[in-house]
Amino acid sequence: MASVDLQNEQSGIEFVEQSVQKWGRSPSALIPILQDIQQQYRYLPEQLLTHAATALELPPASVYGVATFYAQFSLDPKGKYLIKVCDGTACHVRKSMPVYEAIRKRVRLVDGKSTTEDMQYTVETVSCLGACGLAPVVTINDKVYGQMTPDAITAIIDMLEQQEGEV
Amino acid sequence: MIQSPAELQNLRDRYAKGMAQQKAGILVCAGTGCVASGSLEVHAALEHALKEQGLHTSVQLLLEEESTGGVTAVKSGCHGFCEMGPLVRIDPEGVLYTKVKPVDAADIVAALDNGEPVERLLYRHPATQQVFVKESDIPFYKHQTRVALANCGHIDPNDIAAYIAKDGYQGAANALSRPPQDVVDNVLEANLRGRGGGGFPAGRKWSIAASVDADQKYIICNGDEGDPGAFMDRSVMEGDPHRIIEGMLIAGYAIGASQGYIYVRAEYPLAVERLRQALSDAEAWGLLGDNILGTGFSFALHVKEGAGAFVCGEESALIASIEGERGMPRPKPPFPAVAGLWNKPTIINNVETLANVPDILRRGVDWFKNSGTPSSPGTKTFALTGEVANTGLIEVPMGLTVRDVVYTIGGGIRKQMAFKAVQIGGPSGGCLTEEHLDLPLDYDSLQQVGAMIGSGGLVVMNEETCIVEVARFFMEFTQNESCGKCVLCREGTRRMKEILQRIVDGQGAESDLGLLEEVGESVQAGSLCGLGKTAPNPVLTTLQYFEEEYLAHVRDKRCPAGVCPGLKTFAIAAEDCVGCSKCARVCPVDAISGKVKEPFVIDREACIKCGACVDACKFGAVVEVA
């Protein structure tokens, strides 16, 4: 498990406390609380997992079990741009894998890694985004791009980087 | 606050008249597909154009007495014809505009006055070039019967008044005025079968839960639509959320539950947002909460977001997930209808099943049984995708043939290629071939050929699709999603995936085919839940119907569709290559090199055989060699 120091651990613990206030202390509150943490930090920092376990009086192992079971949760930090390539059946049949390879090449990901060294990009595949009519589909930070080709997605990433440069 | 069924009826009439008095209702599709194609920009441009023309506009439906005869321009749910998006529908005429861009807004608004639709935006049939003005005349829509999807694309999902104007909550009003047992009997008699895949009669589940004595019962709507290639539940939740609330309200009343959960997949943020809005509106209007419509019945609903696990579509795993645990199935019995959520009697129905309930109560059992087949009455939604001309979401009477769906509604295979197979029911289903084109699509006919309706994903494949690779794809999916509880599912799916990987890599042997069958049958026999019981289906059906293609892979080391990377080698034909360097630029592993204006060459060692160069070359110079 990655153990990245939170810039301000105290604020993280306060965040968990607020979430616990919102959802309550029953075991069924665990998943919503983890979802809050995931949304805020874009991963589940180890310290906050432990804190959630203490707050709900659950064994840390159970919390870890839930955190690793569901695909929505990540124990590793994600890049600034989270690129999801849909590899559901419809997208697969309409050739989503060449699109995936093109993205990996464009952001220079090698050796099976999914996040770039500079933490700019994380590239993943997902089972189905439910936009099968527009296959193949890619989302970048939840914005949906339909009917993608290797060329089209490369151009979109070019544009993103251009916008980055302007900021 | 609506306090009685009579008051609801009165409101319905006043809103329906308000709707009829409008000059026009513009419905811009804001389903996930059209939003991706830019429909929100189209909506903004239309609002702007309406303002410029000085037309009276409102953002929601008005009552008869408030109506100004103006225009509403609203964002609707999915119209279904995603391929042609962004879609804009003009009511009351039902004109459908396709592939609309923001620049078209002024012309669309001008057309409201002069009565002449904007011809360039109308749907043109690709083969016959015939132009269609009305949505209902387009072949894609003409052969559909919409019940669950009736309002999708026809109303603003965020406007409860629009749902009420379309007879919304009338089914609930009807149910609440009768004894609960009557409602259960109605659904039982209608023989409404579970639309999530299993086809178990919803009424049977309801009567079990209704007969159990308990201080608390629950009703859960299963919106964990995990099948890759299916998006009907998403469309109903996004496009007509009140229909689901009404269905749950009726179910809750029938079994005596005062609490309900809508479990929505994590990947559907828009559905969550629309459902939350709908819940709070229904509460504000007195259609949820205490003493609904003055009948004394109280019912509360909650939205629960899933966290991304396919197995949570299984009833007991879904319950475990709501309780805050890992989503692992439990042995049955006891069935959830007896001991479910927190050990209380719980009914879990799929989104589409519940979406059918309001109409059964409002229009009656006989009306419902009018469509479909005797053993599978009603309609079914299908997500028609893959290599078919018209992709999108459809709803047809049960019992229509595969041919009707793929050719009449779907417009045939893209790029005039040959039909090869249709994969039905996602990772639990099977592949149907040309010989099944006249097979009726209903629960029992499909089961007889080893497939299942599943949630209704229909992925059409053409001659360029490799069946073995698709089988490997599904096995990889189920292996990944196996929760790990049952050894045969956990280990068996992994071994099956490995064998299939070996075959597509060109390392397979003839004996592998028998082995796949043996392992597949063991996984089916030794798994607790539906995931494992059905996981081998895509492999077993393709082994049965496409044995030749498997044999070509293992015996002749050849992939007839030309897909499997391990079985092909690429080369550049020097005489056709102009040296434009396009192939070298698209190559993801930099395996192509050469000088501009001279023939390029592929380094066979470095090549990963992805085929990007073949698609990129405009001169057909990259060829597959044996």
Side-chain angles (χ1 to χ4, degrees):
Chain A
M1 187 193 271
S3 124
V4 170
D5 271 341
L6 290 173
Q7 285 183 337
N8 187 342
E9 195 180 329
Q10 194 53 38
S11 81
I13 289 173
E14 275 165 23
F15 180 82
V16 175
E17 255 328 298
Q18 277 169 17
S19 182
V20 172
Q21 294 289 332
K22 185 163 101 188
W23 298 106
R25 288 179 194 272
S26 73
S28 66
L30 176 61
I31 292 174
I33 291 168
L34 295 185
Q35 283 170 330
D36 279 352
I37 302 174
Q38 174 76 38
Q39 199 180 5
Q40 177 80 7
Y41 295 94
R42 310 185 72 209
Y43 79 111
L44 301 176
E46 187 175 342
Q47 301 94 312
L48 302 192
L49 276 186
T50 323
H51 192 76
T54 314
L56 298 182
E57 294 181 16
L58 287 170
S62 304
V63 174
Y64 184 76
V66 169
T68 50
F69 185 84
Y70 294 99
Q72 195 187 10
F73 302 131
S74 163
L75 300 180
D76 297 312
K78 302 252 160 129
K80 182 175 171 193
Y81 294 102
L82 175 56
I83 306 180
K84 293 183 186 169
V85 183
C86 181
D87 193 30
T89 322
C91 289
H92 188 78
V93 169
R94 281 204 182 173
K95 309 201 167 29
S96 54
M97 278 299 107
V99 173
Y100 173 71
E101 293 296 343
I103 298 171
R104 288 186 61 91
K105 182 190 178 193
R106 175 63 186 76
V107 305
R108 288 180 286 277
L109 270 172
V110 282
D111 306 334
K113 285 206 180 75
S114 60
T115 301
T116 54
E117 296 283 338
D118 61 2
M119 297 301 292
Q120 276 294 100
Y121 298 100
T122 296
V123 184
E124 298 175 341
T125 59
V126 287
S127 304
C128 184
L129 293 161
C132 318
L134 292 177
V137 173
V138 174
T139 66
I140 303 180
N141 287 353
D142 287 336
K143 185 166 163 41
V144 182
Y145 298 88
Q147 297 179 339
M148 280 295 113
T149 61
D151 284 348
I153 192 68
T154 309
I156 288 166
I157 298 171
D158 287 345
M159 208 172 64
L160 277 183
E161 295 210 334
Q162 209 180 338
Q163 285 167 356
E164 277 278 290
E166 285 164 10
V167 174
Chain B
M1 278 290 220
I2 306 171
Q3 310 214 350
S4 69
E7 217 175 291
L8 177 72
Q9 181 67 38
N10 174 286
L11 263 184
R12 187 216 85 94
D13 294 346
R14 283 156 69 207
Y15 275 120
K17 281 185 189 149
M19 191 178 262
Q21 282 170 8
Q22 300 188 132
K23 181 185 178 70
I26 303 178
L27 296 142
V28 183
C29 178
T32 301
C34 280
V35 168
S37 308
S39 68
L40 297 182
E41 290 79 5
V42 170
H43 180 259
L46 280 165
E47 278 191 325
H48 182 75
L50 285 167
K51 209 183 271 173
E52 287 218 317
Q53 289 288 316
L55 285 163
H56 283 285
T57 57
S58 62
V59 289
Q60 66 203 57
L61 187 60
L62 298 172
L63 288 164
E64 181 188 7
E65 57 272 23
E66 299 167 344
S67 174
T68 53
V71 180
T72 51
V74 298
K75 295 172 209 161
S76 76
C78 179
H79 296 217
F81 205 1
C82 311
E83 180 95 28
M84 301 303 292
L87 298 163
V88 175
R89 180 185 156 100
I90 312 289
D91 275 337
E93 294 86 2
V95 175
L96 185 73
Y97 292 131
T98 59
K99 301 201 169 174
V100 181
K101 293 184 194 66
V103 293
D104 300 320
D107 288 346
I108 291 175
V109 172
L112 297 178
D113 268 326
N114 65 29
E116 282 292 308
V118 188
E119 190 171 331
R120 67 170 192 279
L121 299 174
L122 295 171
Y123 175 73
R124 184 182 291 269
H125 195 281
T128 63
Q129 295 299 311
Q130 191 187 348
V131 175
F132 294 88
V133 177
K134 288 189 179 182
E135 181 184 287
S136 53
D137 292 335
I138 298 172
F140 178 77
Y141 289 103
K142 197 177 174 183
H143 302 276
Q144 296 192 41
T145 307
R146 293 186 156 214
V147 178
L149 299 177
N151 288 338
C152 280
H154 292 194
I155 61 168
D156 175 359
N158 283 334
D159 188 0
I160 187 172
Y163 182 66
I164 289 176
K166 298 264 184 189
D167 299 315
Y169 289 104
Q170 297 288 343
N174 177 314
L176 263 52
S177 66
R178 295 153 53 184
Q181 188 57 45
D182 242 35
V183 180
V184 175
D185 290 343
N186 247 229
V187 175
L188 204 54
E189 208 188 315
N191 194 14
L192 171 64
R193 299 177 65 172
R195 300 297 198 243
F200 189 81
R204 290 247 297 277
K205 273 192 195 173
W206 289 20
S207 39
I208 298 170
S211 67
V212 181
D213 240 349
D215 54 343
Q216 178 71 59
K217 296 178 188 175
Y218 295 100
I219 169 100
I220 297 176
C221 170
N222 185 349
D224 191 55
E225 182 175 54
D227 272 17
F231 55 100
M232 55 284 295
D233 294 349
R234 174 177 69 70
S235 297
V236 178
M237 291 187 284
E238 285 178 9
D240 200 9
H242 285 286
R243 180 178 291 274
I244 299 160
I245 297 176
E246 186 181 355
M248 293 182 77
L249 182 58
I250 295 167
Y253 177 74
I255 67 159
S258 60
Q259 298 271 335
Y261 287 91
I262 309 178
Y263 188 91
V264 190
R265 207 173 160 231
E267 288 82 348
Y268 292 171
L270 188 58
V272 171
E273 187 189 315
R274 297 250 170 94
L275 282 166
R276 290 222 161 105
Q277 174 70 42
L279 282 191
S280 88
D281 288 345
E283 278 165 21
W285 287 52
L287 294 159
L288 281 177
D290 291 335
N291 192 18
I292 296 165
L293 296 176
T295 58
F297 176 62
S298 301
F299 190 62
L301 274 181
H302 317 271
V303 174
K304 200 89 187 169
E305 278 179 72
F310 176 68
V311 71
C312 287
E314 199 277 339
E315 296 191 338
S316 59
L318 190 154
I319 288 173
S321 176
I322 293 184
E323 291 174 350
E325 291 171 26
R326 300 163 67 127
M328 288 177 154
R330 296 164 188 168
K332 298 180 209 174
F335 289 95
V338 178
L341 187 62
W342 291 300
N343 262 325
K344 303 290 182 187
T346 304
I347 289 301
I348 303 176
N349 285 139
N350 162 266
V351 169
E352 191 186 338
T353 314
L354 287 164
N356 273 290
V357 170
D359 280 49
I360 293 175
L361 269 292
R362 182 171 66 84
R363 302 164 93 166
V365 172
D366 291 338
W367 165 83
F368 182 75
K369 290 181 120 169
N370 247 337
S371 52
T373 67
S375 68
S376 306
T379 57
K380 176 77 192 87
T381 58
F382 291 100
L384 189 58
T385 60
E387 299 292 352
V388 64
N390 301 331
T391 60
L393 187 62
I394 61 167
E395 182 171 357
V396 294
M398 293 263 190
L400 225 63
T401 63
V402 181
R403 188 188 303 278
D404 291 334
V405 170
V406 173
Y407 286 91
T408 314
I409 296 175
I413 311 302
R414 288 201 321 158
K415 300 186 223 151
Q416 308 294 317
M417 281 196 208
F419 172 86
K420 181 169 186 177
V422 52
Q423 209 283 340
I424 181 164
S428 322
C431 275
L432 302 177
T433 67
E434 211 164 351
E435 64 173 290
H436 300 115
L437 274 176
D438 293 306
L439 186 80
L441 287 165
D442 62 62
Y443 293 106
D444 308 307
S445 309
L446 283 167
Q447 202 148 29
Q448 277 166 20
V449 295
M452 65 190 266
I453 229 165
S455 55
L458 278 177
V459 185
V460 179
M461 300 172 194
N462 66 14
E463 55 202 316
E464 284 186 340
T465 318
C466 172
I467 290 293
V468 184
E469 206 281 328
V470 169
R472 184 208 62 80
F473 165 80
F474 278 119
M475 223 52 231
E476 182 175 7
F477 176 82
T478 36
Q479 186 268 320
N480 219 341
E481 295 293 344
S482 169
C483 79
K485 183 167 186 159
C486 306
V487 176
L488 278 153
C489 175
R490 185 180 70 229
E491 301 300 327
T493 53
R494 178 173 288 273
R495 296 297 159 245
M496 287 177 82
K497 189 196 95 178
E498 284 169 359
I499 297 169
L500 288 160
Q501 187 67 51
R502 197 153 74 210
I503 296 175
V504 301
D505 285 344
Q507 318 284 321
E510 259 186 87
S511 59
D512 281 340
L513 306 190
L515 192 57
L516 271 178
E517 216 165 309
E518 193 187 334
V519 181
E521 281 162 9
S522 313
V523 171
Q524 285 180 329
S527 300
L528 199 55
C529 82
L531 189 149
K533 281 192 172 74
T534 58
N537 283 358
V539 181
L540 297 178
T541 54
T542 50
L543 271 173
Q544 185 182 348
Y545 300 124
F546 293 93
E547 197 189 359
E548 284 302 313
E549 196 164 336
Y550 276 91
L551 283 173
H553 281 76
V554 293
R555 200 173 49 200
D556 315 334
K557 304 293 175 203
R558 189 173 64 81
C559 173
V563 171
C564 293
L567 294 167
K568 61 185 176 185
T569 314
F570 292 107
I572 296 174
E575 62 276 18
D576 292 325
C577 178
V578 299
C580 71
S581 85
K582 182 123 203 276
C583 56
R585 278 179 281 137
V586 298
C587 178
V589 290
D590 297 323
I592 306 180
S593 56
K595 273 193 193 139
V596 175
K597 293 192 180 162
E598 284 174 32
F600 278 59
V601 276
I602 298 176
D603 176 357
R604 289 192 185 177
E605 291 292 304
C607 173
I608 56 164
K609 302 166 183 176
C610 67
C613 48
V614 182
D615 295 333
C617 183
K618 292 197 180 82
F619 308 95
V622 185
V623 287
E624 265 180 64
V625 290

